[in-house]
Amino acid sequence: MRENFERNQNLEYYVNWKNNYYQFNEKNFIKQSVSHLNEVCESPYYYETTFIRKRLDPMSITDDTLSSLLAASFEQKHILLDSKTFYIKDIRDVTDTPFNTIVFQLDAPSLKTEESSRTIMNRYFAQRPLDYNTIQYFGKCLGFYHRCPFVSGDEIFVPEKGSANDSTSWYGIHHILYANEDKKTKCMHVHFRGHHELQLNVSARSFNEQVDRSAILFVYQQFIIDELVGLGHYVPEPSVMTELNIVQQHLKKFTFTMVLHPLEKILSYISHYRVQETLEKVLGEANPYIGEIRDNFNSNFKK
């Protein structure tokens, strides 16, 4: 009798406590039953949690703030870039740190690593449908011999210096909203999404040239993709962007005009260019007419 009385009393206390605790919103919980030995009732347990992500404070990336940015960065053995990456800075010349690269992201803390920027970028290129060598070759056909932008869909990374034989820094021009020239320091103040700022040590002429190159490669790549997709009778869906980046803004300027060739003519031109390039290597002499052919080809799509 005593055991039954205590059992019923405890059960009544537990049921009252449960009803009072969950009466405000029972419908929003997931029920889970746990059966206990020699018990008639089942005990449902509930929990609810809310994760609030703190917005990352805007960063000002300069040579003077590099030490504090390094201190606030998380160390990583291997870094894989994603769509939120906006700047990969080569810091091999910084002597007071063992790290070689720092990677900045829009909505996450920066990352530091002993890997070189060349290793990180090559890993990124290997994950894309077309690697950097292919993009470089197509850019070469258009006369972009040095610092060719890497265009892969909506993602565009531009090297600060030539990256053929060494590491360099890369900025994600697809995340840049606008840029201002600082004539005193002869550099560019670049403004990314998320209000991040970068003091880019390139001239205004070089920066604007890379915006133009990126726009040309972007349009050509999209045109070729649309043509190939059209062979399968598919309709490409337009990408939705909240804010136009600096390349997309450049494409809307009345000064930027392009007349695209048919796909077969583009492929034919690339094939002839490859043949001509091979002949130059074999014969050791440059064809004086190849420049005229390329200029004529380019003048037809950009005026």
Side-chain angles (χ1 to χ4, degrees), residues 136 138-146 148-149 212-213 216-217:
Q136 276 182 309
F138 187 70
K140 198 178 192 181
C141 295
L142 301 176
F144 308 155
Y145 295 107
H146 304 288
C148 180
D212 192 60
R213 288 179 171 184
I216 294 172
L217 288 171

Side-chain angles (χ1 to χ4, degrees), residues 19 48 74 175 187 286:
N19 292 336
E48 180 177 327
F74 291 98
H175 285 311
C187 65

Side-chain angles (χ1 to χ4, degrees), residues 144 149 151 156 158 173 209-219 247:
F144 308 155
V151 181
I156 307 174
V158 179
I173 204 170
E209 181 184 56
Q210 291 295 58
V211 173
D212 192 60
R213 288 179 171 184
S214 299
I216 294 172
L217 288 171
F218 174 80
V219 171
V247 174

Side-chain angles (χ1 to χ4, degrees), residues 95-258:
T95 57
D96 58 349
T97 178
F99 302 103
N100 293 312
T101 310
I102 180 170
V103 175
F104 297 93
Q105 307 170 99
L106 290 180
D107 301 323
S110 54
L111 306 174
K112 56 189 177 183
T113 180
E114 295 182 7
E115 288 188 306
S116 66
S117 61
R118 184 181 181 87
T119 300
I120 296 172
M121 294 307 297
N122 285 339
R123 182 182 300 122
Y124 170 73
F125 298 148
Q127 300 294 322
R128 312 307 297 176
L130 297 176
D131 60 13
Y132 189 41
N133 290 333
T134 304
I135 302 299
Q136 276 182 309
Y137 186 81
F138 187 70
K140 198 178 192 181
C141 295
L142 301 176
F144 308 155
Y145 295 107
H146 304 288
R147 296 180 296 109
C148 180
F150 177 78
V151 181
S152 182
D154 292 327
E155 297 181 13
I156 307 174
F157 285 98
V158 179
E160 289 187 21
K161 299 183 295 185
S163 59
N165 301 315
D166 209 347
S167 294
T168 185
S169 300
W170 295 73
Y171 54 95
I173 204 170
H174 55 289
H175 285 311
I176 297 177
L177 301 179
Y178 61 96
N180 302 319
E181 179 185 8
D182 187 341
K183 295 184 178 180
K184 292 183 179 180
T185 59
K186 296 181 180 180
C187 65
M188 298 294 294
H189 285 286
V190 177
H191 300 263
F192 292 93
R193 304 182 192 276
H195 306 287
H196 303 298
E197 297 182 11
L198 166 66
Q199 182 178 321
L200 191 60
N201 295 320
V202 299
S203 65
R205 179 177 178 274
S206 175
F207 179 81
N208 293 329
E209 181 184 56
Q210 291 295 58
V211 173
D212 192 60
R213 288 179 171 184
S214 299
I216 294 172
L217 288 171
F218 174 80
V219 171
Y220 255 116
Q221 190 175 102
Q222 293 300 314
F223 172 75
I224 293 174
I225 291 173
D226 291 345
E227 289 292 300
L228 293 176
V229 169
L231 296 176
H233 305 289
Y234 295 105
V235 178
E237 294 184 359
S239 59
V240 179
M241 300 293 291
T242 55
E243 294 179 276
L244 297 181
N245 61 43
I246 197 168
V247 174
Q248 293 166 330
Q249 296 172 32
H250 185 68
L251 291 174
K252 289 184 174 294
K253 292 181 179 179
F254 70 92
T255 55
F256 184 87
T257 57
M258 289 185 65

Side-chain angles (χ1 to χ4, degrees), residues 275-287:
V275 171
Q276 179 60 45
E277 189 178 47
T278 303
L279 290 175
E280 289 183 5
K281 291 180 180 180
V282 173
L283 300 177
E285 296 182 1
N287 188 334

Side-chain angles (χ1 to χ4, degrees), residues 141-142 144 216-217 219-220 256-261 294-303:
C141 295
L142 301 176
F144 308 155
I216 294 172
L217 288 171
V219 171
Y220 255 116
F256 184 87
T257 57
M258 289 185 65
V259 179
L260 292 168
H261 297 284
R294 182 177 56 249
D295 293 341
N296 180 64
F297 180 81
N298 292 346
S299 64
N300 287 330
F301 75 83
K302 188 174 187 300
K303 300 179 181 179

